[in-house]
Amino acid sequence: MSRISLGLVKALRSQSLQARSTWQLRQDALPALLQTRRFFGWSSNSGDDGKKGDVPESTGTSESSTDERQSGRKSKRTSAAAQEGAIVPVKQDGHLRKDSSGFEPVCMALPLFGRPLFPWHNQLIQITSPKIAKEILSLTENSKKMTHIGFFLRKSMPNELPKEGEEEDLLPSAKLEDMSGEDPMEVLHNVGTIGRVAQAVPVWSPKDGEVVAVQMLVQGAGVVRLEKVLNKGPPLQVQIAQITPEEWDGKDEMVRATMNETILTVQEIMKVSSSFREHAQYVNQSLQQRNARVQPDAVLDATNPLDKLRLALELLKKELEVAKLQQKISNQIEEKMSKNQREFMLREQLKSIKKELGIDKDDGSETILQKFKERLEGKEVPKEAKEAIDTEFEKFANLAKESQEYQMTRNYLDWLSSMPWSVYSKDTFDLKKAREILDRDHYGLADIKDRIREFIAVGVLRGSMQGKILCFVGPPGVGKTSIGKSIAEALGREFYRFSVGGLYDVAEIKGHRRTYVGAMPGKIIQCLKKVQTSNPLVLIDEVDKIGRGHHGDPSSALLELLDPSQNSAFMDHYLDVAVDCSNILFVCTANVLDTIPGPLLDRMEVIRLTGYDLQEKMKIAEQYLVPNAMVEVGLKQKKAEAQSEVQVQKVAEEVEKSEDAKPQEPEPEPEVKAEPKQLKPEVKAEIETGAIESLIRWYCREAGVRNLQKHIERICRKLATKVVEKWEDKSQGTSSKDTDATGDAIDPSKSEVIELRVDEASLSEYVGKPVFTSDRLYEGQLPSGTVTGLAWTAMGGSVLYIEATALARRRSDPDKPATAPPMLAVTGQLGNVMKESSQIALLVARRQLQARGKDGFFEEHELFLHCPEGATPKDGPSAGVTMTTALLSLAMKKPIPTDLAMTGEVSLNGKVLAVGGIKEKTIAARRAGCKTLIFPEANRRDFDELPKYLQDGLNDLVAPSPSEFHLHFAFDRGLLIEG
Ligand code: ADP
């Protein structure tokens, strides 16, 4: 390979080594390569290409053609070329002469960087050395002919060249065109191009107007060799010799083979590289358009055609490798990047195909999906749920509307998407506010409110209420539910309530499997959907009445839901993904504790509500129930509303006054007449304290206040009816008066005050005859064998009488004592426990009697024991002492004082055991007018803890009762009877 060819290869290599983009490299090299291709007869354009010594009429490259079109200088340039004539090769020996074509062996030379000037190419070259710029300008201006300059590529890049990035400027910079400090023969490649300066545009300094640079459009005219440096300049003056490429033999096998290989390579590159293809097409086209035949001189590197081809092939092969590599990389990246895009495209296509085929769901499904997606926006869906949702989304998008699964999936997605995933309301841990809210809604209940406040305080310190289950236990209507509601408000949580009373199906809690027709999620998922936060307060009513059926055990499902160690991943059958229920605050309510499943009870914090006595009920009624009921029926306004109403009324009155002030208002508007009817009269309705008291005493004796509330509401409704009746009467009366009158517009409602009072006497008018006529079943002395017992039921405490009677047995021999075992017939709907305790009572009573030497009564009589109110089932062991006392009283024929009541469980040995519900029982006993109460010693603490007002007025309990019949078993001894 010649020195020259090596020079070019080096130059080109240095280009790629400098990390120029392949695009730039192609831009540089391709025109030359294509010209080579044409030269070797590949083009279909001219079958007889490659004739030696063909004269180029005009060269075509992308640059030149563009430039020409832009500058519109084509005609001038071609004519200039024609005028100058062909460049006749000088002798290969490099002998210098000015030939007929006007080739000047002496010219100015300029170094080029990065890219050589190719023959038959137009190139913009910028000279930034003012001295050289001025020289060039003077040359172009003075010379009649075209100015020629030799351009030689630098072997190595000067250090001062612009750095990468700055180099993006495609114009080769000739900033360092000043070569005076170097040896040009060493620094420059010795083969270069002679270029005609087609145009030179000076650049002036904005400061002093001096020429600082020049921009030239240069046309490569031929290949030349640098012979000698005449003057280092600047500008550099050199002596050059024209180089003529060697003749080539188109029939030479080597040449042809290389040629074919080159073409194949070009074709291959065109296959893999689209930009190369475009460029090649463009060049080819422009060549065809010009019908140009090109000189092989367009390639600088070699004089020998075979060498040229080899070099070109080498470059092309390299280019092919690069293109392949590039394609591979881009494929890989594309594969990664466009996966989603492709999926999207495919989906769109699938959609349109389906539409075409008529199996597309209505456009609605898109909207539905969109809706679901919108719902999920901003929610932090847990991974498991997210996966489920994504799968269902995908499935849903491809389901036909008619299919059964469509509806199912849609419902499922509806539920999944409307869960409040990771949506929490912020707890307001504010003790003061909590107290305010609790006091606002509930009278009394001081200890319960304190418990709740403690509970909140713990929440403040721990920062969460996680893992807490409260359980309010107490009779109905004592405010369990409404306290739950108040807690929710105090904490700023959403409130949801559901009852599990009589619930037999697990699905109610855990949901159905999705495969069932009409499947639904369980209550708790429904709750979450409704409240839209993951931390509501859920009130589960009647946990003591949860059932058990053949559809599994709801209480264990409830346990799963409530158990803090399980409920962080609660699995609903329908939803089928874990839902975190651990932030829900559960509050349960129950009437009794015994029927609450043990494991459930274990996890609860039980708070007892005992029920209210007369005084408390009075307060509740006066402060809460009556005002609320009045508001409910419209007899009064809520405080906040009342104020604004007053203002409205005032404004209305003022308006009317001002209207009245204008007496000569000619046209009375029709609305004005209707107006008075709209205005409500002032109502003063009141339920007197006495009425409330007798209401509680004679109508509503239960532990809670729900019945009382109902009665009060009934009274209020009746009051409302009366008010409206009166109002109507009056307004009709006045309106008829109005018409009679001479036209004086008197507002009938203005001065009117309707006053209504409910007192003790008129109470029956509103609520009918009293339900209870007496506090007691027995007035005056109790018959012997009848004892007042105290019971505690789910409805609260109550007084219960135990009646025992005996009938003498008929004996065969009246002189002989009866030996048959005593028989006790028990009636009054007693439960098993109570029946058993009646047997124990009999045994204990017999023993006591024996101890007193009065044996024989029980054996000689048929015994009957009855609890009145036989329709109500009763059970429990706490009537033990009462039964025993009744039997003893009967046997000893000693009546029990009327105001004495008792409770206590009796063991077989006559020991008295503790019982529950002391407060309720005390309240019930006081209500029944009992003054002396007998409780087991073990219950002393419970009694001592009772509020003062409940203890006041009772007899000293340890003292024997006024009767002869001493009941010393009471506190300290635990034994039933002392002789
Ligand atoms: P429970 O759930 O215990 O059966 P509720 O909570 O439904 O009873 O209460 C019944 C009604 O009695 C509610 O309207 C409630 O406001 C009212 N109530 C109960 N206790 C009180 C109280 N201490 N103060 C004011 N109102 C009360």
Side-chain angles (χ1 to χ4, degrees), residues 793-813:
T793 64
M795 308 291 285
S798 68
V799 166
L800 137 157
Y801 293 92
I802 303 266
E803 300 170 329
T805 52
L807 285 178
R809 281 187 176 173
R810 232 180 270 158
R811 279 181 289 182
S812 49
D813 183 355

Side-chain angles (χ1 to χ4, degrees), residues 345-613:
M345 291 266 293
L346 286 174
R347 234 174 256 296
E348 290 298 309
Q349 280 171 3
L350 185 69
K351 235 188 275 170
S352 49
I353 290 171
K354 277 185 171 177
K355 217 169 208 170
E356 282 296 311
L357 291 176
I359 53 169
D360 189 28
K361 328 153 281 299
D362 68 339
D363 327 20
S365 72
E366 250 328 289
T367 337
I368 291 167
L369 271 183
Q370 192 54 38
K371 190 176 83 187
F372 292 157
K373 278 179 186 158
E374 268 166 26
R375 274 191 206 162
L376 287 167
E377 263 166 36
K379 289 183 194 170
E380 217 176 276
V381 185
K383 196 168 159 260
E384 190 197 352
K386 180 93 184 63
E387 278 165 14
I389 290 171
D390 287 346
T391 320
E392 292 296 317
F393 271 160
E394 224 162 90
K395 194 167 117 192
F396 184 68
N398 295 318
L399 283 174
K401 203 188 171 195
E402 301 73 34
S403 74
Q404 211 179 2
E405 241 191 314
Y406 177 86
Q407 207 53 35
M408 232 170 78
T409 315
R410 183 185 161 162
N411 279 350
Y412 183 47
L413 274 174
D414 187 20
W415 279 100
L416 274 181
S417 60
S418 48
M419 283 290 104
W421 303 110
S422 69
V423 177
Y424 295 97
S425 63
K426 200 171 174 325
D427 281 339
T428 42
F429 289 127
D430 184 345
L431 284 185
K432 209 168 135 232
K433 189 182 160 208
R435 156 148 289 166
E436 276 168 22
I437 290 172
L438 288 171
D439 284 345
R440 184 196 67 198
D441 296 340
H442 296 92
Y443 171 82
L445 301 173
D447 42 344
I448 283 129
K449 288 177 187 168
D450 281 347
R451 285 288 290 279
I452 293 164
R453 278 159 43 82
E454 284 163 22
F455 188 74
I456 294 175
V458 173
V460 174
L461 293 182
R462 280 188 46 191
S464 82
M465 291 256 172
Q466 229 161 345
K468 283 286 170 207
I469 311 166
L470 285 179
C471 182
F472 293 123
V473 181
V478 290
K480 300 183 294 290
T481 313
S482 60
I483 279 206
K485 223 181 253 178
S486 299
I487 298 176
E489 198 185 329
L491 286 174
R493 292 195 177 201
E494 293 291 331
F495 178 78
Y496 186 84
R497 173 188 172 182
F498 70 93
S499 173
V500 292
L503 192 141
Y504 287 98
D505 194 347
V506 178
E508 292 278 337
I509 293 169
K510 291 209 62 170
H512 304 96
R513 300 231 172 261
R514 273 206 306 289
T515 38
Y516 290 136
V517 177
M520 281 267 284
K523 276 278 189 312
I524 200 70
I525 299 300
Q526 292 177 27
C527 152
L528 290 179
K529 183 183 176 186
K530 170 127 194 291
V531 300
Q532 281 301 310
T533 60
S534 296
N535 60 339
L537 185 147
V538 174
L539 189 110
I540 306 176
D541 254 340
E542 324 242 33
V543 273
D544 53 336
K545 298 185 192 61
I546 191 162
R548 206 206 150 105
H550 29 257
H551 288 296
D553 180 6
S555 67
S556 54
L558 196 61
L559 182 66
E560 195 186 323
L561 172 64
L562 296 184
D563 188 353
S565 59
Q566 295 183 50
N567 67 4
S568 59
F570 177 74
M571 267 286 193
D572 185 277
H573 287 326
Y574 181 87
L575 221 56
D576 213 19
V577 293
V579 176
D580 185 3
C581 291
S582 62
N583 289 297
I584 298 175
L585 177 59
F586 290 103
V587 177
C588 304
T589 77
N591 293 134
V592 288
L593 279 183
D594 352 329
T595 47
I596 300 178
L600 211 56
L601 192 58
D602 271 358
R603 288 165 176 82
M604 292 174 174
E605 193 168 333
V606 174
I607 297 179
R608 284 180 178 276
L609 286 93
T610 44
Y612 307 109
D613 70 346

